[in-house]
């Protein structure tokens, strides 16, 4: 079992620094406490070296796995203790100006908390000593990283498949063959096939290799693999192109020289399968002389960066099988012929094919397994739908595991985190990036914000074909993605093995007993009937750092029992929601109540001093509590149509704001209050302009405000927006969404020409009337005339998009 310790190594590495900061503060620790904290620093530094070595082990022994589990729990508890310390013993006012009497009173009133802290420190110290002794006893750390290849390559079907048995291959084969043989310069050309694990890359490459091999004087086909032995690969290639060559002769430099010499005057065709790194390609490519004889190379890889490094623009991305082809392949494998599925198995077979998601590897593996089993509904459900406990599908799991094993530690953590979401759930990238930051998964990088780094992580997972883009933004960036069911099933298995996430489904009464200490909880409630089910026992999840609930709020643990919670995500949940005790969650960084039935927030919400994201869009919340302005770390305030309290300009960390255009009084708008907030980067404004009003109030943006704003979205009943000269000079993205137009004579939008930095614009009307058409035409004409460098202008009327 490979250990998922990416977040662990980062945490253990960061903890000594956190403890050092604690010692530097003027906190009044009880006698001996400073020594304990310093002791933690030294031991954790030593421990981290062993943790890093364990990360490289793909098949650690039981002792190593057990030790890592203990280190994980210990690191979590130490970090919780450090993060809670400043809140329990408020030393923030212990400076030179503090009154001695006030300091003395404070010291007296916090004595009980200080004794609790001292007791906790002693317990943590004992655990640190115990874990450190275990490391020495087990001699953990000096083991060499293991990269065990499977005894039998699970891709045998791809290597030896008969062309007549392949399904959905004709079109892709002909397209790639055209890329390989297409007219152009006579120089060396590389074509790369890229796609997720099991999508048929090797099968497609071999078909193309067989189809186009005529006319080449030299041919060779080699497989590289993740733990590539470059000398062996080059030796295999040499033995195929030169019958006199010995595959095991010489080192890499000698083999490159011999291959170049032999291929120099020949037209060659090479297939290089299963490339995993740009570095490996950079070595192998030196074997290939550019002799202008029309030589061709076909490569396959799971990683888009590797494909582009070798082939440039000559990259073909594999697609999943369509419904008809998937059904054909499955029925052939499971029943021996097309149309051979018995009537009593048609519905369960459809469920199995849906779970396979058009992935050839899954269809072939599961179909082949079922071919030798009894054709009963129970058997097909047990073997075809319950993959996690099915040892007969190890070949398929091994292929998926290779992609996981190749990830750096930080990306392993982020990928496992996706197991909290239900199968086929569409996940918004913005939501995920902020969650990862709140969870502490993102490492700081100079010159890049944590959220930008999180988005880079997501893009890398997309580039490695482990997650699939779903919806796109107007500027071509990814908006959301989904996990393929096969990948989703795999990471759930890994999460359960490593106690990374506790998944509680609708049918379960409580957290499974084998979960140990629950750090992340995902409640997959199915519908309102779960409301009758008993609430999750708070004691079992009292150390949870994140809780995510889907579908319904039933069984959500009581908040006053969750002292170390960092993430509370209830987006889209229906049902009654109790927020009693919310203000006590002093470490909470991410609170998502979007789309819930909540109608008001606790007045004491300003006590959540660590909060970075608050989302109450699409709720019944009309006004935010005044104390919200005390949230000094809040970066994303997504209030939707709710009214902001006065004093919002005190929030100096705000980057993103969504709110109603209602100011301190009914005749004032929020724009005048927000204009000088230099931190704002994105703003969404909800406005209401009654059609019956004779004097329709304009939403006007002044010339000297919002100097840092990059994106502006206005949602209004009627178009009534004005941008004055020199307004919003930094805005690059403008979204105007209205319910209906005014009239054919008035667009209702003026001053678009003043937005000097505009790059993308969307105008959308819910109703397609004459006024909407007039406004659309006028705004589009102005934008196209004044902003010729605007990359994309999208006009969206009645959900129909024109560019």
């Amino acid at each position: 079992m490979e250990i998922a310790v990416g977040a662990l190594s980062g945490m253990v590495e960061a903890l000594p620094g956190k403890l050092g900061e604690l010692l530097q503060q003027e906190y009044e620790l009880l006698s001996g406490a400073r020594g304990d904290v310093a002791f933690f620093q030294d031991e954790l530094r030593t421990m981290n070296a062993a943790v890093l070595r364990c990360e490289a082990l793909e098949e650690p022994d039981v002792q190593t796995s057990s030790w890592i589990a203990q280190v994980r729990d210990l690191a979590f508890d130490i970090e919780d203790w450090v993060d809670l310390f400043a809140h329990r013993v408020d030393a923030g006012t212990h400076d030179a100006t503090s009154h001695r009497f006030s300091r003395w009173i404070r010291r007296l009133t916090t004595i009980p908390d200080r004794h609790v802290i001292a007791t906790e420190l002693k317990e943590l110290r004992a655990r640190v000593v115990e874990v450190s002794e275990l490391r020495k006893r087990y001699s953990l750390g000096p083991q060499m990283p293991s990269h065990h290849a499977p005894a039998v390559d699970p891709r045998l079907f791809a290597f030896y498949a008969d062309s007549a048995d392949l399904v959905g291959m004709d079109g892709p084969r002909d397209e790639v063959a055209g890329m390989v043989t297409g007219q152009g310069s006579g120089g060396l050309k590389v074509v790369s096939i890229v796609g997720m694990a099991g999508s048929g890359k090797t099968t497609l490459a071999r078909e193309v290799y067989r189809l186009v091999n005529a006319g080449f004087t030299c041919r060779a086909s080699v497989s590289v693999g993740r733990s590539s032995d470059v000398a062996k690969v080059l030796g295999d290639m040499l033995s195929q192109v030169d019958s006199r060559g010995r595959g095991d002769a010489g080192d890499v430099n000698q083999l490159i020289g011999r291959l170049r010499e032999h291929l120099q005057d020949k037209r060659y065709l090479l297939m290089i399968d299963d490339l995993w790194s740009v570095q490996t390609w950079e070595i192998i490519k030196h074997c290939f002389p550019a002799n202008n004889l029309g030589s061709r190379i076909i490569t396959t890889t799971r990683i888009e960066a590797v494909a582009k490094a070798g082939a440039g623009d000559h990259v073909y991305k594999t697609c999943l099988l369509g419904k008809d082809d998937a059904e054909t392949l499955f029925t052939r494998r499971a029943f021996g012929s097309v149309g051979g599925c018995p009537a009593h198995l048609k519905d369960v077979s459809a469920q199995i094919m849906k779970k396979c998601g058009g992935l050839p590897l899954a269809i072939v593996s599961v179909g082949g397994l079922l071919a030798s089993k009894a054709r009963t509904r129970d058997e097909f459900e047990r073997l075809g739908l319950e993959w996690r406990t099915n040892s007969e599908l190890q070949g398929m799991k091994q292929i998926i595991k290779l992609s996981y094993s190749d990830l750096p530690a930080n990306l392993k953590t982020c990928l496992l985190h996706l197991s909290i979401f239900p199968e086929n759930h569409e996940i918004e990238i913005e939501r995920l990036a902020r969650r990862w930051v709140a969870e502490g998964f993102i490492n700081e990088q100079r010159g890049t914000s944590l959220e930008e780094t999180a988005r880079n992580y997501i893009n890398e997972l997309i580039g490695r074909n482990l997650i699939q883009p779903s919806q796109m933004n107007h500027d071509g960036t990814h908006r959301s993605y989904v996990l393929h069911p096969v990948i989703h099933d795999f990471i759930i298995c890994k999460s359960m093995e490593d106690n990374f996430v506790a998944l509680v489904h609708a049918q379960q009464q409580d957290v499974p007993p084998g979960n140990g200490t629950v750090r992340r909880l995902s409640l997959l409630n199915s519908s309102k009937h779960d409301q009758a089910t008993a609430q999750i026992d708070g004691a079992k999840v009292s150390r949870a750092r994140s809780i995510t609930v889907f579908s319904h709020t039933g069984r959500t643990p009581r908040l006053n029992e969750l002292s170390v919670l960092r993430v509370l995500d209830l987006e889209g949940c229906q049902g009654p929601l109790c927020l009693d005790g919310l203000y006590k969650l002093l470490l909470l960084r991410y609170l998502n109540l979007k789309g819930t039935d909540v109608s008001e927030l606790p007045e004491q919400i300003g006590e959540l001093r660590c909060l970075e994201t608050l989302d109450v869009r699409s709720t019944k919340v009309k006004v935010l509590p005044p104390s919200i302005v005390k949230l000094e770390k809040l970066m994303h305030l997504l209030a939707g149509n709710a009214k902001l309290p006065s004093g919002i300009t005190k929030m100096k960390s705000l980057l993103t704001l969504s709110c109603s255009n209602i100011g301190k009084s009914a005749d004032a708008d929020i724009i005048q209050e927000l204009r000088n907030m230099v931190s704002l980067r994105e703003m969404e404004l909800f406005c209401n302009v009654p059609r019956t009003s004779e004097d329709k109030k304009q939403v006007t943006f002044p010339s000297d405000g919002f100097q840092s704003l990059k994106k502006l979205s206005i949602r209004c009943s009627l178009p009534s927006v004005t941008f004055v000269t020199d307004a919003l000079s930094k805005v690059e993205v403008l979204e105007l969404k209205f319910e209906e137009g005014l009239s054919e004579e008035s667009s209702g939008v003026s001053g678009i020409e003043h937005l000097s930095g505009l790059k993308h614009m969307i105008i959308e009307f819910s109703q397609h009337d004459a006024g909407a058409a007039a406004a659309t035409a006028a705004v589009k004409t102005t934008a196209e005339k004044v902003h010729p460098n605007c990359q994309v202008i999208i006009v969206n009327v009645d959900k129909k998009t024109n560019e």
Side-chain angles (χ1 to χ4, degrees), residues 2-3 53-60 64 143-146:
E2 189 172 4
I3 309 171
R53 291 189 181 98
C54 289
E55 279 186 350
L57 302 175
E58 293 186 11
E59 299 296 336
T64 302
Q143 308 172 61
M144 293 296 293
S146 58

Side-chain angles (χ1 to χ4, degrees), residues 649 652 671-679 704-707:
T649 54
K652 304 300 183 183
I671 294 175
Q672 298 305 317
E673 296 180 49
L674 301 178
R675 61 191 297 177
N676 294 321
M677 292 190 70
V678 295
S679 62
D704 58 346
F706 303 101
Q707 294 301 309

